[in-house]
Amino acid sequence: MLVVDGPSGNGIGKAIASVLGCEFSECMHNLFPDGESEVGLASAVKGKDVLLVQSTYPLQDKRLMELLLLADDTKREGARSISAAVPYLAYARQDKRYDEKGNAVSINTILSMLSFSGITTLVTVAPHNAESLSTFNGRVIIVDAMAPLAEEVKKNVSDPFVLAPDKGALNMATRFAKALGCGYTNIEKHRNKLTGELNILNAPKADFKGKTVVIIDDMISTGGTIVQTSKFAYENGAKEVVVAAAHLLMAGNAYERITGAGVKELYGTNTIPYNRAHMVDISGAIAKALPSASPKQHSK
Amino acid sequence: MLVVDGPSGNGIGKAIASVLGCEFSECMHNLFPDGESEVGLASAVKGKDVLLVQSTYPLQDKRLMELLLLADDTKREGARSISAAVPYLAYARQDKRYDEKGNAVSINTILSMLSFSGITTLVTVAPHNAESLSTFNGRVIIVDAMAPLAEEVKKNVSDPFVLAPDKGALNMATRFAKALGCGYTNIEKHRNKLTGELNILNAPKADFKGKTVVIIDDMISTGGTIVQTSKFAYENGAKEVVVAAAHLLMAGNAYERITGAGVKELYGTNTIPYNRAHMVDISGAIAKALPSASPKQHSK
């Protein structure tokens, strides 16, 4: 297998290749003065099984386009198979058509195009809703971020209690708490469709006294959910609050908002580089999840 | 036919619909805080022939993605046919593989994806190289920008002489000069592949004395070509220099560069809105070029 880091592979491909002991190449990348990307393969791909690594955090459209250009070129150059590891997959939250708007179900189009460009296996980390990837015409491999995040949190927090900000995150919370060997619960929130305001509907009878509450989620965008959840934790006796999420999008002033709500530490993975957080390397987890994973043998 | 203006249709679709007397709709458009675009159809498309209008100037990747999302949704919603008018088509200059780099031929991928998303007719204005569009799996309609630009220049310039900055632009210059009823010529330039420097190799024996030299080109990106050509015109006696180009990308400090080289006026079309230039509306020319053009009849 040949692993190729795309322009926003951020070294994840290189690390995967190192774990698997296989061939690795950077891609060629150039940005023209008018803003067009130019990409290219720096190694021959003919007859090879190629894994392209490209995360699609902002600027999402540019990074998606670069991936499509690279994949299509890999196909045209005669690769035997093309897999893509897209650590953060943009547009995965646009997975429903809402009645009041005629919005396109964008993730379906993105998945169609990835498939059309020759990608037959798609590997991604902690998508917002795994079911939204079911329309992909190929194999989908989902990598969990909770275990590696929990490992890092464990090093720094001695008295944790895991809190999921909604029911949807309860499965993640369960895995996270198991890895930490601590308790967990979730709150239920309600978003007002007109105003966008978040309200906590049902609160568990949780006593966080003396505990460090670890709020977990798949991603942080504007931080609104985290702000509400952090306030709730402090109101229920938390000693302090930290946050662990797979993808730190941190749109606008998200950092100021969540630290303003008392969040003391932030943990994320390098699916999206973010230098104000503890960064957990996700490469090993991706490498392990690959179907062709045949770890490098130590010489005897 | 139903004409739909995409997020960067800039009213061109509306004007086309008005000329043709057919149904028109804006699209739904939203930008999420993290930078993802959301688009949608605001009118039913089932069974209709739909023309999507979306120009793909910077941010090129975002505008292309929006077009692909809209087209794919139009296909999924059961339109009878989908045409796309893309007044400025990004990536059309990335049409060759250079020996020394393994660069992808990006325009081929863009055209494949447009076709895959259901577009069977592609209408565009003054592409850099018409041949680069030959791989499109459908009908390509190219709209000339020289005639409408010449009409506007004619109103303001009394003693023109048309100058093409290279051999490739000579055909455009011929058409432009014919519309103005004036003389024309071209210079030949050579770009040093290593330094990027432009040099004039062969200069015509042109006497621009007392004339307003109108430099024409398909597009202005950084303005380097225009700077050289303007200097050449003044060195050969031009009274003043103006520039007319279909697409004013005007990357970085292009405006300062070309006005610094003596360019007095700038003419462009609304394929790319640019408020420091005379803007010529290209809608009528696009409407006329459409295969289904059946102009609204005046009632008698």
Side-chain angles (χ1 to χ4, degrees):
Chain A
M1 186 168 73
L2 166 66
V3 183
V4 177
D5 258 328
S8 57
N10 298 320
I12 291 179
K14 192 172 187 177
I16 291 172
S18 169
V19 169
L20 300 180
C22 62
E23 191 186 355
F24 169 76
S25 168
E26 303 278 355
C27 79
M28 191 276 283
H29 179 227
N30 175 35
L31 190 67
F32 284 109
D34 64 1
E36 281 183 12
S37 289
E38 182 186 51
V39 295
L41 296 162
S43 296
V45 297
K46 200 175 170 76
K48 292 182 187 167
D49 297 310
V50 177
L51 172 69
L52 302 173
V53 182
Q54 170 88 338
S55 202
T56 59
Y57 52 88
L59 309 164
Q60 295 94 336
D61 303 301
K62 173 161 282 307
R63 300 187 199 280
L64 277 168
M65 197 59 75
E66 288 168 349
L67 174 58
L68 291 164
L69 291 170
L70 261 183
D72 190 44
D73 199 38
T74 305
K75 182 177 71 176
R76 288 168 195 259
E77 288 295 295
R80 189 169 70 172
S81 75
I82 310 176
S83 302
V86 187
Y88 173 70
L89 177 62
Y91 285 96
R93 281 175 295 170
Q94 293 191 42
D95 60 347
K96 280 182 202 70
R97 198 184 288 280
Y98 297 94
D99 282 350
E100 66 269 33
K101 308 189 287 182
N103 65 300
V105 185
S106 304
I107 188 63
N108 288 347
T109 300
I110 302 295
L111 293 173
S112 290
M113 290 195 298
L114 291 174
S115 173
F116 176 68
S117 70
I119 296 165
T120 53
T121 299
L122 175 64
V123 188
T124 191
V125 179
H128 187 61
N129 171 11
E131 268 178 46
S132 67
L133 307 183
S134 62
T135 65
F136 182 67
N137 183 24
R139 182 173 183 173
V140 174
I141 296 174
I142 289 172
V143 177
D144 179 40
M146 290 297 115
L149 279 169
E151 210 172 296
E152 183 67 17
V153 169
K154 205 172 188 172
K155 290 181 197 162
N156 301 289
V157 176
S158 55
D159 49 359
F161 193 96
V162 175
L163 180 58
D166 52 39
K167 262 190 165 172
L170 192 56
N171 274 336
M172 282 190 288
T174 310
R175 294 201 301 280
F176 202 94
K178 196 176 167 191
L180 282 181
C182 70
Y184 64 93
T185 188
N186 74 289
I187 57 178
E188 284 182 37
K189 58 177 181 163
H190 175 258
R191 188 185 293 271
N192 185 310
K193 280 188 182 176
L194 291 175
T195 64
E197 200 189 348
L198 282 174
N199 286 300
I200 294 174
L201 282 185
N202 297 308
K205 286 178 185 162
D207 185 3
F208 303 138
K209 240 165 233 155
K211 300 281 186 190
T212 295
V213 169
V214 186
I215 303 172
I216 57 92
D217 213 343
D218 57 333
M219 65 173 66
I220 303 178
S221 179
T222 61
T225 299
I226 301 296
V227 166
Q228 286 263 349
T229 311
S230 178
K231 283 180 185 166
F232 172 80
Y234 280 114
E235 283 161 15
N236 286 272
K239 186 180 76 183
E240 65 173 23
V241 171
V242 304
V243 172
H247 312 294
L248 301 180
L249 277 165
M250 305 303 284
N253 62 349
Y255 184 80
E256 288 70 23
R257 291 182 72 192
I258 69 171
T259 52
V263 172
K264 303 298 181 196
E265 297 284 343
L266 194 53
Y267 295 82
T269 78
N270 59 346
T271 59
I272 304 179
Y274 187 68
N275 63 16
R276 291 163 122 175
H278 297 258
M279 278 278 102
V280 174
D281 184 10
I282 200 75
S283 313
I286 296 176
K288 256 183 253 173
L290 292 172
S292 56
S294 55
K296 199 195 297 195
Q297 300 292 316
H298 289 283
S299 54
K300 293 180 184 181
Chain B
M1 186 167 74
L2 165 66
V3 183
V4 177
D5 257 330
S8 56
N10 298 320
I12 292 179
K14 192 172 187 176
I16 292 172
S18 169
V19 170
L20 300 180
C22 63
E23 191 186 354
F24 169 75
S25 169
E26 304 278 355
C27 79
M28 190 276 284
H29 179 227
N30 175 36
L31 190 66
F32 284 108
D34 65 0
E36 281 183 12
S37 288
E38 182 185 52
V39 295
L41 296 161
S43 295
V45 298
K46 198 175 171 76
K48 292 182 186 167
D49 297 311
V50 177
L51 173 69
L52 302 173
V53 182
Q54 170 88 338
S55 201
T56 58
Y57 51 88
L59 309 166
Q60 296 93 337
D61 302 300
K62 174 161 282 306
R63 300 187 199 281
L64 278 168
M65 197 59 74
E66 288 168 347
L67 174 58
L68 291 165
L69 291 170
L70 261 183
D72 190 43
D73 198 39
T74 304
K75 181 176 72 175
R76 289 168 195 258
E77 289 295 294
R80 189 167 72 173
S81 74
I82 310 175
S83 302
V86 187
Y88 173 71
L89 178 62
Y91 286 96
R93 282 176 293 169
Q94 293 191 42
D95 61 346
K96 280 183 202 71
R97 200 185 287 280
Y98 297 93
D99 282 351
E100 67 269 31
K101 305 189 289 180
N103 65 297
V105 185
S106 304
I107 188 62
N108 288 348
T109 299
I110 302 295
L111 294 173
S112 289
M113 290 195 297
L114 291 174
S115 172
F116 176 67
S117 70
I119 296 164
T120 53
T121 299
L122 175 64
V123 188
T124 191
V125 179
H128 186 62
N129 171 11
E131 268 178 48
S132 67
L133 307 184
S134 62
T135 66
F136 181 67
N137 182 25
R139 183 172 183 175
V140 174
I141 296 174
I142 289 172
V143 177
D144 180 41
M146 289 298 117
L149 278 168
E151 210 171 296
E152 182 68 17
V153 168
K154 205 171 189 175
K155 291 180 195 163
N156 302 291
V157 175
S158 55
D159 49 358
F161 193 96
V162 174
L163 179 59
D166 52 40
K167 261 190 167 173
L170 192 56
N171 274 336
M172 283 190 287
T174 312
R175 294 200 300 280
F176 202 94
K178 197 176 167 191
L180 283 181
C182 71
Y184 65 94
T185 187
N186 74 289
I187 57 179
E188 285 182 38
K189 58 177 181 161
H190 174 258
R191 188 185 293 271
N192 184 310
K193 280 189 183 176
L194 291 175
T195 64
E197 202 188 348
L198 283 172
N199 286 301
I200 293 173
L201 283 185
N202 296 307
K205 285 179 185 161
D207 185 2
F208 303 138
K209 238 164 235 153
K211 299 281 186 190
T212 294
V213 170
V214 185
I215 303 172
I216 57 93
D217 212 343
D218 58 333
M219 65 173 69
I220 303 178
S221 180
T222 62
T225 299
I226 302 297
V227 165
Q228 286 262 349
T229 311
S230 178
K231 283 179 185 165
F232 172 81
Y234 281 113
E235 283 161 15
N236 285 272
K239 187 181 74 181
E240 66 174 19
V241 172
V242 303
V243 173
H247 313 293
L248 301 180
L249 276 166
M250 306 302 285
N253 61 348
Y255 184 81
E256 288 69 24
R257 291 183 72 191
I258 68 173
T259 52
V263 172
K264 302 298 182 196
E265 298 283 343
L266 193 54
Y267 296 81
T269 78
N270 59 346
T271 59
I272 303 179
Y274 188 68
N275 64 16
R276 290 163 123 174
H278 296 258
M279 278 278 102
V280 174
D281 184 11
I282 201 73
S283 315
I286 296 176
K288 255 183 252 171
L290 292 172
S292 56
S294 55
K296 202 194 296 196
Q297 298 294 315
H298 289 280
S299 55
K300 291 182 186 179

